[in-house]
Amino acid sequence: MLRALGLDAVSEQVYQELLAEPTLDATLLAERLGLSQDQVGTSLDTLADLALLRMSREAPQQRRPVSPARAHALLLRRQEEELQARHAALEANRIAVATAAEQATRDQRRIPTGTEQLDGLDKIQSGLESLIQSATTEICSIVPTQMPPEALEASRALDEDLLARGIALKTLCHEGARTNPRSLAYARSMSAAGAQLRTAPALPHRLLLVDRATALVPLDPAAPARSAVLVTTPGIVTAMAELFDRIWTDATPLDQAPAIERATGITATERELLKILSTGLTDEAAAKRLGVSVRTVKRRMEELMRRLEAGSRFEAGLRAGQHGWL
């Protein structure tokens, strides 16, 4: 029982032996318990420090063990005091972290203009984490491509932490996320946790917007993992926020099916596919831009050609133009 209250095993043995025979000295204790003199001496010091030994009233130069009830009460009180101290230290650390984050946010807002280049995945990840932790109200993001499984899992903890802090999350995903089981499952779980997600058939390059005051964008959209730019210039950040808002307004909430245009009978995704293919891009390039498989592009194009009664893609382009689909 005493071990459950923080007393080590050897000291508990010594204490129990003294309870049975209080007049034993260190030498006899060592012999009885099969311990060394040093072990017994250390345990006696431990018991004394914990007040589990008291001076004898009959033999003032000797120590006697306190009663088990007293020992239990003393050890329990010690644990309670240690727990209170840990709680106090934890609260102090929490206040210190919040103060540091608030100061960082104030410092950030005092900078009227600026950009910072982050080179390499490690620096980008570090900058991303710091930026996310500085958020106080809202994070808007554009995710134009399918994220690999490991990236989704890495994002989950950050997203859950933000939602727990009361930060609003608004994410624009590619329409292709609706046909990818892993991406769709992740999006639905985040939506259930309180995040807002919408999809669109065409999105610009990756964007992270924090409190509409700071933005993180890839330096080279073709190689987003190589370098990123942290932007605090008000005019640039405001323009990015307005771009996000315009796409967000036209995008489809995750829990709704993409709308069919009344005038044409096609969806925004189908219109985007026709636009892409009309520029001469291959099925592979179209699939990459739409965030879907090449097979999906071919299937959708065959369906559009059938509806347009076209024998070739060239004829489909002409008929789409005549029908006002482009």
Side-chain angles (χ1 to χ4, degrees):
M1 178 62 181
L2 296 181
R3 265 182 283 180
L5 295 173
L7 189 64
D8 66 90
V10 175
S11 296
E12 184 176 23
Q13 281 184 288
V14 173
Y15 173 78
Q16 295 293 349
E17 195 68 24
L18 285 172
L19 280 178
E21 196 168 342
T23 60
L24 292 176
D25 60 17
T27 301
L28 289 174
L29 283 168
E31 292 177 1
R32 292 275 188 93
L33 297 172
L35 301 171
S36 68
Q37 290 279 356
D38 287 342
Q39 285 178 301
V40 171
T42 300
S43 293
L44 288 172
D45 290 340
T46 298
L47 293 170
D49 290 340
L50 294 173
L52 301 186
L53 295 179
R54 57 173 173 77
M55 299 307 298
S56 171
R57 300 184 66 178
E58 296 175 351
Q61 301 303 317
Q62 298 179 13
R63 292 176 176 176
R64 299 287 184 264
V66 300
S67 69
R70 177 64 174 163
H72 292 157
L74 288 170
L75 291 176
L76 184 59
R77 186 172 66 188
R78 184 183 181 89
Q79 281 195 332
E80 290 173 344
E81 290 173 350
E82 290 175 349
L83 184 60
Q84 289 173 358
R86 286 198 295 270
H87 276 304
L90 179 62
E91 186 61 25
N93 289 336
R94 184 180 289 113
I95 292 173
V97 169
T99 301
E102 184 179 352
Q103 183 62 48
T105 301
R106 286 199 299 266
D107 291 343
Q108 183 185 71
R109 288 172 177 172
R110 279 201 296 267
I111 302 174
T113 61
T115 59
E116 179 184 355
Q117 183 170 327
L118 307 175
D119 296 320
L121 277 174
D122 287 335
K123 284 190 176 181
I124 294 174
Q125 182 66 25
S126 179
L128 178 65
E129 291 171 354
S130 297
L131 186 58
I132 287 175
Q133 287 301 318
S134 72
T136 59
T137 57
E138 177 191 59
I139 289 184
C140 301
S141 59
I142 294 178
V143 185
T145 58
Q146 297 288 350
M147 295 176 65
E150 59 274 14
L152 288 176
E153 287 308 309
S155 298
R156 184 182 299 276
L158 290 173
D159 290 345
E160 290 176 347
D161 177 64
L162 288 166
L163 291 170
R165 287 166 47 200
I167 307 299
L169 295 187
K170 298 173 69 174
T171 303
L172 280 166
C173 301
H174 204 284
E175 202 76 65
R178 293 178 181 270
T179 60
N180 183 292
R182 191 182 295 271
S183 296
L184 184 59
Y186 176 80
R188 283 175 172 168
S189 67
M190 287 298 100
S191 181
Q196 300 179 62
L197 294 99
R198 295 188 179 187
T199 62
L203 291 171
H205 302 299
R206 188 176 295 275
L207 167 67
L208 182 73
L209 191 64
V210 177
D211 295 336
R212 297 182 178 259
T214 308
L216 185 70
V217 294
L219 182 65
D220 179 3
R226 189 177 301 165
S227 296
V229 179
L230 193 65
V231 183
T232 56
T233 306
I236 298 177
V237 175
T238 298
M240 292 180 179
E242 290 177 353
L243 172 65
F244 179 90
D245 289 340
R246 290 186 181 184
I247 301 174
W248 180 264
T249 299
D250 295 333
T252 305
L254 184 67
D255 59 354
Q256 298 178 16
I260 297 176
E261 298 176 2
R262 292 183 179 180
T264 61
I266 63 173
T267 65
T269 301
E270 291 171 333
R271 181 187 293 277
E272 188 63 27
L273 175 59
L274 287 169
K275 287 181 179 179
I276 291 172
L277 295 177
S278 69
T279 62
L281 290 180
T282 63
D283 288 351
E284 288 75 11
K288 183 176 181 181
R289 183 173 296 187
L290 290 173
V292 296
S293 67
V294 176
R295 180 181 300 178
T296 298
V297 168
K298 292 181 180 295
R299 177 177 55 78
R300 289 179 177 175
M301 196 60 214
E302 289 173 359
E303 172 62 18
L304 287 169
M305 289 173 63
R306 183 189 63 78
R307 288 161 60 186
L308 289 166
E309 299 181 349
S312 67
R313 291 192 177 185
F314 177 77
E315 184 181 0
L318 291 177
R319 288 181 177 271
Q322 292 170 355
H323 285 70
W325 291 12
L326 289 175

